[in-house]
Coordinates of all heavy atoms in Angstrom, one line a residue:
A17 N -6.1 26.7 9.8 CA -7.0 26.3 11.0 C -7.3 24.8 10.7 O -7.8 24.4 9.7 CB -8.2 27.1 11.1
A18 N -7.1 23.9 11.8 CA -7.4 22.5 11.7 C -8.7 22.3 12.4 O -9.0 22.9 13.4 CB -6.2 21.8 12.3
S19 N -9.3 21.2 11.9 CA -10.6 20.8 12.5 C -10.6 20.1 13.9 O -11.5 19.9 14.5 CB -11.4 20.1 11.5 OG -10.8 18.8 11.1
R20 N -9.4 19.6 14.2 CA -9.3 18.9 15.3 C -7.9 19.2 16.0 O -7.1 19.9 15.4 CB -9.5 17.4 15.1 CG -8.6 16.7 14.3 CD -8.4 15.2 14.4 NE -7.6 14.5 13.4 CZ -6.3 14.4 13.5 NH1 -5.7 14.9 14.6 NH2 -5.6 13.8 12.5
S21 N -7.6 18.5 17.1 CA -6.3 18.7 17.7 C -5.1 18.3 16.8 O -5.2 17.4 15.9 CB -6.2 17.8 19.0 OG -4.8 17.8 19.5
I22 N -4.0 19.1 16.8 CA -2.9 18.8 15.9 C -1.7 18.4 16.8 O -0.6 18.4 16.3 CB -2.5 20.1 15.0 CG1 -2.2 21.3 15.9 CG2 -3.7 20.4 14.1 CD1 -1.5 22.5 15.2
I23 N -1.9 18.2 18.1 CA -0.8 17.8 19.0 C -0.1 16.7 18.5 O 1.1 16.6 18.6 CB -1.4 17.7 20.4 CG1 -2.0 19.0 21.0 CG2 -0.3 17.1 21.3 CD1 -2.5 19.0 22.3
S24 N -0.9 15.7 18.0 CA -0.3 14.4 17.6 C 0.3 14.4 16.2 O 0.9 13.5 15.8 CB -1.2 13.2 17.7 OG -2.3 13.5 16.9
I25 N 0.2 15.5 15.5 CA 0.7 15.6 14.1 C 2.0 16.0 14.0 O 2.4 17.2 14.4 CB -0.3 16.5 13.2 CG1 -1.6 16.1 13.2 CG2 0.3 16.7 11.8 CD1 -2.7 16.9 12.5
N26 N 3.0 15.2 13.7 CA 4.4 15.5 13.8 C 4.8 16.6 12.9 O 5.6 17.4 13.3 CB 5.2 14.2 13.6 CG 6.7 14.5 13.8 OD1 7.2 14.9 15.0 ND2 7.5 14.3 12.8
T27 N 4.2 16.6 11.6 CA 4.7 17.5 10.6 C 3.7 18.3 10.0 O 2.7 17.6 9.5 CB 5.6 16.8 9.6 OG1 6.7 16.1 10.2 CG2 6.2 17.8 8.6
M28 N 3.7 19.6 10.0 CA 2.8 20.4 9.2 C 3.6 21.3 8.4 O 4.8 21.6 8.7 CB 1.9 21.2 10.2 CG 1.0 20.3 11.1 SD -0.3 21.2 12.0 CE -1.3 21.8 10.6
G29 N 3.0 21.8 7.3 CA 3.8 22.7 6.5 C 3.1 23.5 5.5 O 1.8 23.4 5.5
W30 N 3.7 24.4 4.8 CA 3.1 25.2 3.8 C 3.8 25.0 2.5 O 5.0 24.8 2.4 CB 3.3 26.7 4.1 CG 2.5 27.1 5.3 CD1 2.9 27.3 6.6 CD2 1.2 27.7 5.3 NE1 1.9 27.7 7.4 CE2 0.9 28.0 6.5 CE3 0.3 27.8 4.3 CZ2 -0.4 28.6 6.9 CZ3 -1.0 28.4 4.6 CH2 -1.3 28.7 5.9
Y31 N 3.0 24.7 1.4 CA 3.4 24.6 0.1 C 2.8 25.8 -0.7 O 1.8 26.4 -0.4 CB 2.8 23.3 -0.4 CG 3.6 22.0 0.1 CD1 3.5 21.5 1.3 CD2 4.5 21.4 -0.8 CE1 4.2 20.5 1.7 CE2 5.2 20.2 -0.5 CZ 5.0 19.8 0.8 OH 5.7 18.7 1.3
R32 N 3.3 26.0 -2.0 CA 2.8 27.0 -2.8 C 2.9 26.5 -4.3 O 3.6 25.7 -4.5 CB 3.3 28.4 -2.6 CG 4.9 28.5 -3.1 CD 5.5 29.7 -2.6 NE 6.9 29.9 -3.2 CZ 7.7 30.8 -2.9 NH1 7.3 32.0 -2.2 NH2 8.9 31.0 -3.5
Q33 N 1.9 27.0 -5.0 CA 1.9 26.7 -6.5 C 1.6 27.9 -7.3 O 0.6 28.4 -7.2 CB 0.9 25.5 -6.7 CG 1.1 25.0 -8.2 CD 0.4 23.7 -8.4 OE1 -0.6 23.3 -7.6 NE2 0.8 22.8 -9.3
A34 N 2.5 28.3 -8.0 CA 2.3 29.3 -9.0 C 1.9 28.7 -10.4 O 2.2 27.7 -10.7 CB 3.6 30.1 -9.1
P35 N 1.1 29.5 -11.2 CA 0.8 29.1 -12.6 C 1.9 28.6 -13.4 O 3.0 29.2 -13.4 CB 0.2 30.4 -13.2 CG -0.3 31.2 -12.0 CD 0.7 31.0 -11.0
G36 N 1.8 27.4 -13.9 CA 2.8 26.8 -14.8 C 3.9 26.2 -13.9 O 5.0 25.8 -14.6
K37 N 3.9 26.2 -12.6 CA 4.9 25.6 -11.9 C 4.5 24.4 -11.0 O 3.3 24.3 -10.7 CB 5.6 26.7 -11.0 CG 6.2 27.8 -11.7 CD 6.9 28.9 -10.8 CE 8.1 28.2 -10.1 NZ 8.7 29.3 -9.1
Q38 N 5.4 23.7 -10.6 CA 5.2 22.6 -9.7 C 4.9 23.2 -8.2 O 5.3 24.2 -7.9 CB 6.3 21.7 -9.7 CG 6.6 20.8 -10.8 CD 5.8 19.6 -10.9 OE1 5.0 19.4 -10.2 NE2 6.1 18.8 -11.9
R39 N 4.0 22.4 -7.5 CA 3.8 22.7 -6.1 C 5.1 22.6 -5.5 O 5.8 21.5 -5.6 CB 2.7 21.9 -5.6 CG 2.3 22.2 -4.2 CD 1.1 21.5 -3.8 NE 1.1 20.1 -4.0 CZ 0.1 19.3 -3.8 NH1 -1.1 19.8 -3.5 NH2 0.2 18.0 -4.2
E40 N 5.4 23.4 -4.6 CA 6.8 23.4 -3.9 C 6.7 23.6 -2.4 O 5.8 24.3 -2.0 CB 7.7 24.4 -4.5 CG 7.4 25.9 -4.3 CD 8.4 26.8 -4.8 OE1 9.5 26.4 -5.1 OE2 8.1 28.1 -4.8
L41 N 7.5 22.9 -1.7 CA 7.5 23.1 -0.2 C 8.1 24.5 0.1 O 9.2 24.9 -0.3 CB 8.3 22.0 0.5 CG 8.5 22.3 2.0 CD1 7.3 22.0 2.7 CD2 9.6 21.1 2.5
V42 N 7.3 25.2 0.8 CA 7.8 26.5 1.4 C 8.4 26.4 2.8 O 9.6 27.0 3.0 CB 6.7 27.5 1.5 CG1 7.1 28.9 2.1 CG2 6.0 27.8 0.1
A43 N 7.8 25.8 3.7 CA 8.3 25.6 5.0 C 7.6 24.4 5.6 O 6.4 24.1 5.4 CB 8.0 26.9 5.8
Q44 N 8.2 23.8 6.7 CA 7.6 22.8 7.5 C 8.1 23.0 8.9 O 9.1 23.5 9.2 CB 7.8 21.4 6.9 CG 9.2 21.1 7.0 CD 9.5 19.6 6.3 OE1 8.7 19.2 5.5 NE2 10.5 18.8 6.7
I45 N 7.2 22.4 9.8 CA 7.4 22.5 11.3 C 7.0 21.2 11.9 O 5.9 20.6 11.6 CB 6.8 23.7 11.8 CG1 7.1 23.9 13.2 CG2 5.2 23.6 11.6 CD1 6.7 25.2 13.9
S46 N 7.8 20.7 12.8 CA 7.6 19.4 13.5 C 6.8 19.8 14.8 O 6.6 21.0 15.2 CB 8.8 18.7 13.8 OG 9.6 19.4 14.9
S47 N 6.3 18.7 15.4 CA 5.7 18.8 16.7 C 6.6 19.5 17.8 O 6.1 20.0 18.8 CB 5.0 17.4 17.1 OG 6.1 16.6 17.3
G48 N 7.9 19.3 17.6 CA 8.9 19.9 18.5 C 9.4 21.2 18.1 O 10.3 21.7 18.5
N49 N 8.7 21.9 17.1 CA 9.0 23.1 16.6 C 10.3 23.2 15.9 O 11.0 24.3 15.7 CB 8.9 24.2 17.6 CG 7.5 24.5 18.2 OD1 6.6 24.5 17.3 ND2 7.3 24.7 19.4
I50 N 10.8 22.1 15.3 CA 11.8 22.1 14.4 C 11.4 22.6 13.1 O 10.4 22.0 12.5 CB 12.6 20.8 14.3 CG1 12.9 20.3 15.6 CG2 13.8 20.8 13.4 CD1 13.9 21.1 16.4
V51 N 12.1 23.5 12.4 CA 11.5 24.1 11.2 C 12.6 24.0 10.1 O 13.7 23.9 10.3 CB 11.3 25.7 11.4 CG1 10.1 25.8 12.3 CG2 12.5 26.4 11.7
D52 N 12.1 23.9 8.8 CA 12.9 24.0 7.7 C 12.2 24.9 6.7 O 11.0 24.9 6.6 CB 12.9 22.5 7.1 CG 13.8 21.6 7.8 OD1 15.0 21.8 8.0 OD2 13.2 20.5 8.3
Y53 N 13.0 25.5 5.9 CA 12.5 26.5 4.9 C 13.1 26.3 3.5 O 14.3 25.8 3.3 CB 12.9 27.9 5.3 CG 12.2 28.4 6.5 CD1 13.0 28.3 7.8 CD2 11.0 28.9 6.5 CE1 12.4 28.7 8.9 CE2 10.4 29.3 7.8 CZ 11.0 29.2 8.9 OH 10.5 29.6 10.1
A54 N 12.4 26.6 2.5 CA 13.0 26.5 1.2 C 14.0 27.6 1.0 O 13.9 28.7 1.7 CB 11.9 26.8 0.1
A55 N 15.0 27.4 0.3 CA 16.0 28.5 0.2 C 15.6 29.8 -0.3 O 16.0 30.9 0.2 CB 17.1 28.0 -0.7
S56 N 14.5 29.7 -1.2 CA 14.0 31.0 -1.7 C 13.3 31.9 -0.7 O 13.1 33.1 -1.0 CB 13.0 30.6 -2.9 OG 11.9 29.8 -2.4
V57 N 12.8 31.3 0.4 CA 12.1 32.0 1.5 C 12.9 32.2 2.8 O 12.4 33.0 3.6 CB 10.7 31.5 1.8 CG1 10.0 31.3 0.4 CG2 10.8 30.2 2.5
K58 N 14.0 31.5 2.9 CA 14.7 31.5 4.2 C 15.1 32.9 4.6 O 15.7 33.6 3.6 CB 15.9 30.5 4.1 CG 16.6 30.4 5.5 CD 17.7 29.3 5.3 CE 18.3 28.9 6.6 NZ 17.3 28.1 7.4

């Protein structure tokens, strides 16, 4: 949940971090609903 309008935010995404591991990109989505996924979750 965002505190204000996200219409103008081109890219939003999800990252995750497990203990002892680097934070990694899980998925991202553009304002035009173009999506990308990490291979591990695709």
Side-chain angles (χ1 to χ4, degrees):
S19 62
R20 64 161 174 82
S21 174
I22 62 170
I23 294 175
S24 64
I25 301 177
N26 184 57
T27 304
M28 299 186 70
W30 291 93
Y31 286 72
R32 67 186 182 188
Q33 188 166 25
K37 297 183 65 178
Q38 295 274 6
R39 182 169 53 189
E40 64 177 351
L41 175 68
V42 176
Q44 61 182 28
I45 183 168
S46 74
S47 59
N49 287 321
I50 304 300
V51 300
D52 289 297
Y53 297 95
S56 59
V57 307
K58 193 174 184 68

